[in-house]
Amino acid sequence: MSDPLALTVIGVENLRVGFGGGAQSFPAVQGVSFSIVEGEIFGLVGESGSGKSTILRVISGLNRDWSGRLTIRGQEIGKRRAKRFYKTVQMVFQDPYGSLHPRKTVDAILYEGLAVQSMDDRQRRIERVLYDVGLQDGFRFRYPHQLSGGQRQRVAIARALILEPRILLLDEPTSALDVSVQAEILNLLRELRVRRRLTCILVSHNLAVVAHMCERIAVMNRGRIVEELDSASLRAGVAQDPYTQQLMRAARGYDRAIADSFVDFD
Amino acid sequence: MTETPLLELVDLRVRYPGRHRTVEAVRGLDLTVGREKLGIVGESGSGKSSVGRAILRLLPPTAVVTAGSMRFQGSDVLAASEAEMRSIRGRRITMVTQDPKFALNPVMSIGAQIAEAYLAHRHVSPEEARQRTLEMLQTVRFRDPERVFASYPHELSGGMGQRAMIAMMVIAGPDLLIADEPTSALDAAIQMQILAILDDLVGQRGMGLVFISHDIDLVAAFCDRIAVMYGGRIVETCAAGALHEARHPYTRGLLAAIPRLERAVEQLPVLARDESWLAP
């Protein structure tokens, strides 16, 4: 659990994001606040369209159309991010088929970040990060199409970690993978997080994955956090909010009576 | 299960010959389906989708399909002509796929395309087809069938699109419905709703359902029987309620690798694949 004296690494206050301008604007995130301390892994769960990925895109600088206050390691950050920012914050995306350059080898993909950040000792860093993500021999000069989905996601994680970030943003990192591969990637992420003292946000629609990975979890619906709870409460099923309760019932699997009890939450 | 099975597959094989090597997607599969909910579970590349498409003979021309026998209600599907296949496909066996975005015609109203599917197989007046379509839309739980009839696919959400596709596939009254990952792109609550609709249709119409999915938990909760596929073969078949008694190390490994709300673990057990699982 969070230690009150620990340093707040990510602070989000009253974040608002709208898509499209004028009267037709769609409010994707409607006043979200949370803070994450060093070494913590914070989960954001919700259904599609709840705004969870949009929050990650704001923090990572991919979405510049927002208002509110954002701090990273105590410093307020604006909409444009300097190159230095990406030495601290890195992101892993959902689809390992779409997030790697198809015409670049693993080596070139990893080298690029080092060159952009002017980091030295590049050969050794590439070797080491590939070892860390479990892609030791023979993977370095392959192209993405020669790799399986799980291997690609390992490359995407290596690409993020090679810059030695303090913060890792994970957007559904295993939902495109088979469950046997998901287990490998989740184990890897848990191990790397401890070893590298990373602070993480994990976005997922899967409650069991979030409960497995995170200490604290925020449940989102329609752009708002409806409830924040710890993983023990999530496991015990002691959610207060009716939307969270419904989400938890749906996660338990198909049940005819439960399916008929679902309502729309606006 | 009834005495005369709807579908009987013996030694089904699907190969994709290539310049350098031949991919064997299905390698000798035996399967019998009655008027029941049968789940086919497997990970990507296990051959589960090739089975569904082979039944309807919808595989690309490059695929080589062979079988000891492939019978639907007693008639030989493998030897059927294209014309005979057309009278089976869409009428007696139909298929629901993962994404309604690609299955529905974007420039045709929902009602018009469902009615077209009905008219293709029944000699009825357009007015009667329209009435049947409206009834069908109500069956898949649209609150306002008239409005949905006139709307276009882009105006519907993923769950609504999927219900429209199910309506289209069931309207001609098929005996067997093949559903290939029908709920994988949907949120859990919507997923449950779609499953409840399929459940009702199978129960009320006495249809058979082949439910193809990567989600073993979902299949166990929804289907009557489960066939687990690995490397193009069924490695284990069991009653859905008896999945926890599954014997095959692949099935057991798959179940163990899933993180669960009711069980906290430090590390997730990783599936150790064994060469012997591929042997016949």
Side-chain angles (χ1 to χ4, degrees), chain A residues 48 178 180 187 235 254 256, chain B residues 43-44 187 199-200 260:
Chain A
S48 35
D178 282 325
S180 63
N187 286 344
R235 286 187 190 284
Y254 179 71
R256 193 51 227 264
Chain B
E43 295 192 288
S44 31
D187 284 326
D199 209 355
D200 287 350
R260 291 179 191 285

Side-chain angles (χ1 to χ4, degrees), chain A residues 13 35 43 48 77 89 140 155-156 167 186 196 221 259:
Chain A
E13 278 172 53
S35 63
S48 35
I77 52 170
V89 180
R140 189 167 163 185
V155 172
I167 296 168
L186 293 181
R196 299 200 171 208
N221 182 34

Side-chain angles (χ1 to χ4, degrees), chain B residues 215-232:
Chain B
D215 189 337
I216 193 164
D217 284 339
L218 184 75
V219 168
F222 178 68
C223 293
D224 306 318
R225 245 178 1 122
I226 304 181
V228 181
M229 277 191 80
Y230 181 79

Side-chain angles (χ1 to χ4, degrees), chain B residues 80-97:
Chain B
S81 68
E82 253 320 294
E84 286 170 315
M85 260 335 273
R86 275 198 298 277
S87 72
I88 293 178
R89 231 186 258 135
R91 165 84 195 264
R92 296 166 64 197
I93 312 178
T94 58
M95 185 169 197
V96 173
T97 53

Side-chain angles (χ1 to χ4, degrees), chain A residues 139-251:
Chain A
F139 288 101
R140 189 167 163 185
F141 296 101
R142 287 204 206 171
Y143 287 93
H145 74 264
Q146 296 169 308
L147 306 175
S148 69
Q151 288 163 350
R152 286 175 201 228
Q153 202 60 315
R154 286 174 194 266
V155 172
I157 292 167
R159 175 179 59 187
L161 291 182
I162 200 165
L163 303 177
E164 291 176 7
R166 309 294 307 161
I167 296 168
L168 196 57
L169 305 174
L170 303 160
D171 190 3
E172 301 265 15
T174 59
S175 55
L177 306 174
D178 282 325
V179 290
S180 63
V181 182
Q182 165 173 280
E184 293 172 17
I185 297 291
L186 293 181
N187 286 344
L188 173 69
L189 286 171
R190 264 177 83 130
E191 180 208 317
L192 288 171
R193 184 175 77 85
V194 174
R195 189 137 45 94
R196 299 200 171 208
R197 285 195 58 76
L198 292 165
T199 305
C200 302
I201 300 180
L202 172 70
V203 160
S204 176
H205 69 283
N206 187 323
L207 292 183
V209 165
V210 170
H212 175 65
M213 298 293 290
C214 305
E215 288 110 20
R216 263 193 318 140
I217 294 130
V219 180
M220 291 195 66
N221 182 34
R222 308 213 181 217
R224 290 196 176 84
I225 290 179
V226 296
E227 184 163 13
E228 206 181 286
L229 66 175
D230 60 20
S231 64
S233 312
L234 188 65
R235 286 187 190 284
V238 288
Q240 302 297 315
D241 182 80
Y243 176 77
T244 313
Q245 289 166 357
Q246 175 163 314
L247 216 54
M248 292 172 74
R249 282 200 303 277

Side-chain angles (χ1 to χ4, degrees), chain A residues 3 35 37 39 50 60 71 85 91 112 119 141 186 191 196 200 216 256 265:
Chain A
D3 169 3
S35 63
V37 298
S50 62
S60 65
T71 57
F85 173 82
M91 184 152 162
E112 198 167 35
M119 290 168 81
F141 296 101
L186 293 181
E191 180 208 317
R196 299 200 171 208
C200 302
R216 263 193 318 140
R256 193 51 227 264
F265 282 92

